[in-house]
Amino acid sequence: MWLDIWMRENPITYVLLGSYAVAMAIFLVEIALVRHKRALTLQQVRLMQEAGEEE
Amino acid sequence: MAINWFKYSAPTTFYSLAGKLIPWFAVAAAALFAVGMYIGFYIAPVDYQQGEFYRIIFIHVPASILSMFLYLIMAGYAAMGLIFNTRLSAMMATAIAPTGALFAFISLWTGALWGKPMWGAWWVWDARLTSELILLFLYLGFIALHASIDDPRRADRASALLAIVGSVNVPIIYFSVKWWNTLHQGSTIKFSGTSMHVAMQQAMFIMLVACWLYAIAVILARVRSIILERERHTKWINELPEVKHVA
């Protein structure tokens, strides 16, 4: 009930925080995950290469 | 000058090409997001019926369009991988799925946020909303199926079938507002024209392009990791400067 009243009193805040901030947060998390995955994969490949050189 | 497109379907060539393209797409996406939001919030007028709440459409509509198009592209790549047995096609399909799922989620989330003040409900079992929810489940099913099979080539084939069969859902989403009597409104922008204010059209179009550029950048970045992972036993991967050089 309080949310109904609040959203009608603050429509721009509701729109900005509820949809745009959430969407941007999702994009940032996705970018962070992609970068993390790349760093992890590169590390894995380097370790494999080092192991191959030692043999 | 003829371009040899087949050259870019090889992971060896595509890997470096994608690396060069990512910063351009990422910077353009960030700039267009800023411009789109500026027009959407400062220039576009208030809607006489929906008030300020209508501004959700500048992210809701592009996210919905992207979720459907990305699924079709993913299914297309999956089909190409299945038919021609091309390595990069399957990798592309795998890279598209998480981004498509996120756009489907954003579409549903922002739709719920718009629905509450407009319809008085976060969710209704409407044909458009339900078929979009099925799209999200199809993306999640694709990701889960691919992750559950250890052999990547078998995983590619199994998930490709799911992607191809699931693509029937996309026209259902699009035409649901015409085929059934739904609460969700039909298309505002048609080939015959639109009643939308020009600033609203500009904001929506710019946000749509920004979402496309963002999706391309993040998919290219993801596919580079997949190429690295799958081709790690090959000679060309071991000769890459980023693999040789340890920071």
Side-chain angles (χ1 to χ4, degrees):
Chain A
M1 188 66 188
W2 66 268
L3 186 64
D4 281 341
I5 299 163
W6 179 82
M7 75 169 73
R8 283 178 204 288
E9 284 173 355
N10 309 284
I12 286 282
T13 316
Y14 171 78
V15 169
L16 267 174
L17 285 183
S19 51
Y20 289 87
V22 169
M24 292 304 151
I26 288 171
F27 291 156
L28 288 177
V29 168
E30 191 184 17
I31 291 165
L33 285 174
V34 166
R35 287 172 69 97
H36 177 68
K37 169 81 179 163
R38 169 146 176 97
L40 218 64
T41 315
L42 265 175
Q43 199 185 14
Q44 215 177 17
V45 174
R46 280 178 197 143
L47 281 172
M48 277 186 64
Q49 196 187 32
E50 279 169 24
E53 279 169 4
E54 279 172 15
E55 276 173 13
Chain B
M1 194 179 76
I3 299 169
N4 183 8
W5 294 107
F6 289 107
K7 191 176 127 187
Y8 295 104
S9 65
T12 38
T13 328
F14 190 80
Y15 182 86
S16 56
L17 176 74
K20 285 174 195 151
L21 292 174
I22 291 165
W24 295 97
F25 284 113
V27 170
L32 286 178
F33 269 125
V35 174
M37 284 192 65
Y38 175 77
I39 297 173
F41 279 88
Y42 290 98
I43 299 176
V46 179
D47 186 80
Y48 81 101
Q49 274 185 327
Q50 303 177 30
E52 300 284 2
F53 295 113
Y54 93 93
R55 294 187 203 277
I56 290 176
I57 64 160
F58 301 134
I59 188 73
H60 174 72
V61 174
S64 309
I65 291 172
L66 260 283
S67 69
M68 289 190 285
F69 267 99
L70 285 178
Y71 194 91
L72 290 180
I73 295 167
M74 181 185 83
Y77 270 121
M80 266 164 50
L82 203 61
I83 297 162
F84 302 114
N85 212 16
T86 45
R87 286 176 297 162
L88 187 64
S89 308
M91 293 180 199
M92 280 300 289
T94 315
I96 291 169
T99 306
L102 288 177
F103 274 111
F105 176 79
I106 292 170
S107 164
L108 290 167
W109 176 267
T110 52
L113 258 88
W114 181 86
K116 183 64 181 166
M118 292 299 114
W119 297 340
W122 300 104
W123 179 264
V124 283
W125 290 101
D126 171 277
R128 173 61 70 85
L129 277 69
T130 310
S131 51
E132 182 71 21
L133 182 66
I134 291 169
L135 185 75
L136 175 63
F137 291 155
L138 281 167
Y139 274 123
L140 297 179
F142 179 94
I143 296 164
L145 182 62
H146 200 279
S148 67
I149 302 170
D150 286 333
D151 178 15
R153 301 307 289 256
R154 279 186 62 219
D156 288 342
R157 283 196 292 274
S159 49
L161 277 174
L162 177 67
I164 295 162
V165 173
S167 61
V168 76
N169 186 47
V170 176
I172 294 175
I173 300 172
Y174 184 76
F175 291 110
S176 58
V177 287
K178 291 180 184 171
W179 291 344
W180 295 288
N181 188 18
T182 61
L183 191 58
H184 194 288
Q185 71 265 42
S187 303
T188 311
I189 300 172
K190 297 169 189 156
F191 288 111
S192 52
T194 178
S195 56
M196 272 175 86
H197 189 276
V198 69
M200 295 176 187
Q201 290 177 51
Q202 284 169 350
M204 200 190 285
F205 180 73
I206 290 168
M207 289 294 279
L208 177 63
V209 177
C211 284
W212 264 117
L213 296 175
Y214 164 79
I216 293 169
V218 85
I219 288 165
L220 288 180
R222 190 177 290 116
V223 84
R224 268 164 64 88
S225 291
I226 296 170
I227 291 172
L228 262 181
E229 200 172 26
R230 292 223 197 158
E231 305 270 306
R232 64 184 183 271
H233 299 293
T234 58
K235 199 181 165 199
W236 75 272
I237 286 284
N238 289 322
E239 283 169 1
L240 285 171
E242 59 262 47
V243 173
K244 274 185 173 175
H245 172 73
V246 182

